[in-house]
Amino acid sequence: MTLADLEAKQIKLLHRIAQLELRLAASSISSSKGCGEDAAESMETRLSKILLARGVNDFAWKRVPSDYYDQSLEDRRQILNASRVEQLCKSIVMVNTQASEDITDCSNPKNSKYYVVVVQYMARLNAESIKNFLYALNDKKVPKKRFNMRLAPEDESLELTGFIHNAVTCIGMQTDIPVIIDEAITKLEEDYFWLGGGEVDLKLGMKTSQFLSAFKPFVVKCS
């Protein structure tokens, strides 16, 4: 067995231990509330409950240094123990600035005012590809000029997701915003990716195939 194989087994073992700890923490908090105590949930516990309820059991949390975003992608990869930088992703809220006046929320996933797009840090997002996808998704019945995806202002992103800049994640948002994931992420042979964990210094890694099955995002080639 090679050193790489041993490291991979160690990482998987640590993931399993983390899941057991999270389950115990969630159970403890639930019991405390049942006794009438006002126990506050941590971000990890709240989002872990959502993941486990959806059937995602291969995930991990990582607290990162305060200067994490000042470091190179390679340095961030090492902090997260990711196999390569392509696994480092972010969730960004996009708004359709040309949506019809009657489209003001996210009630229609096919033609929503907002979308959360999960894309690799190293990739260049192609908004035109998302526009073309949404146009086709609506059977070309909505004029193409009615789709113009742009980065949502930070205050709108915060109001919709409940997460501040550099902490945004597509898990556990305040609003049920449709999610788009870049096809490139789904094709990574590691079947694992990292993204924000709801707090600036908290990152969440999970098995891609489980995420796709649990949350059923739109898979779009958008980079």
Side-chain angles (χ1 to χ4, degrees), residues 3-223:
L3 179 60
D5 290 333
L6 288 173
E7 290 178 344
K9 284 183 175 294
Q10 182 183 39
I11 290 173
K12 287 184 178 180
L13 179 59
L14 290 173
H15 284 173
R16 296 302 181 190
I17 293 174
Q19 303 320 308
L20 289 173
E21 291 176 341
L22 288 168
R23 285 188 175 94
L24 287 172
S27 176
S28 176
I29 287 177
S30 178
S31 297
S32 296
K33 287 184 175 179
C35 295
E37 296 180 15
D38 184 19
E41 276 189 326
S42 69
M43 184 66 70
E44 289 182 43
T45 300
R46 184 175 77 83
L47 299 189
S48 293
K49 283 183 177 181
I50 294 173
L51 292 169
L52 292 170
R54 293 288 193 100
V56 178
N57 51 45
D58 193 346
F59 62 92
W61 298 98
K62 179 73 175 182
R63 287 285 175 185
V64 298
S66 58
D67 63 347
Y68 177 81
Y69 285 105
D70 296 325
Q71 301 190 40
S72 68
L73 286 178
E74 174 57 26
D75 287 338
R76 297 185 209 175
R77 180 198 69 77
Q78 293 183 32
I79 291 172
L80 297 174
N81 289 321
S83 299
R84 48 180 175 155
V85 296
E86 287 86 349
Q87 291 175 277
L88 277 57
C89 306
K90 56 185 175 181
S91 303
I92 57 177
V93 179
M94 301 196 75
V95 56
N96 182 4
T97 61
Q98 294 300 316
S100 302
E101 292 183 1
D102 60 323
I103 298 175
T104 59
D105 57 24
C106 307
S107 57
N108 180 5
K110 291 186 176 181
N111 192 7
S112 176
K113 179 71 173 180
Y114 298 92
Y115 288 89
V116 170
V117 182
V118 182
V119 65
Q120 296 163 310
Y121 268 101
M122 61 168 291
R124 184 183 181 88
L125 181 64
N126 187 336
E128 191 68 18
S129 294
I130 298 176
K131 172 181 178 176
N132 293 334
F133 168 78
L134 294 174
Y135 177 59
L137 185 65
N138 286 272
D139 299 321
K140 302 182 180 179
K141 294 178 181 179
V142 179
K144 185 176 282 191
K145 67 180 181 180
R146 285 299 183 183
F147 298 106
N148 186 50
M149 305 308 299
R150 292 291 180 265
L151 187 66
E154 281 191 26
D155 59 337
E156 290 184 22
S157 176
L158 174 59
E159 181 179 358
L160 290 164
T161 66
F163 305 122
I164 63 174
H165 180 61
N166 283 338
V168 178
T169 183
C170 56
I171 310 298
M173 298 180 289
Q174 286 186 170
T175 307
D176 189 14
I177 311 174
V179 178
I180 293 173
I181 186 171
D182 187 12
E183 183 183 69
I185 301 171
T186 68
K187 291 187 174 181
L188 293 175
E189 61 182 39
E190 291 84 359
D191 190 26
Y192 204 90
F193 72 110
W194 286 87
L195 71 167
E199 297 174 359
V200 176
D201 65 343
L202 183 62
K203 304 306 164 192
L204 169 63
M206 74 183 85
K207 196 172 184 66
T208 313
S209 55
Q210 290 187 0
F211 171 77
L212 295 175
S213 177
F215 295 94
K216 295 179 172 52
F218 295 116
V219 179
V220 182
K221 186 177 182 179
C222 54
S223 66

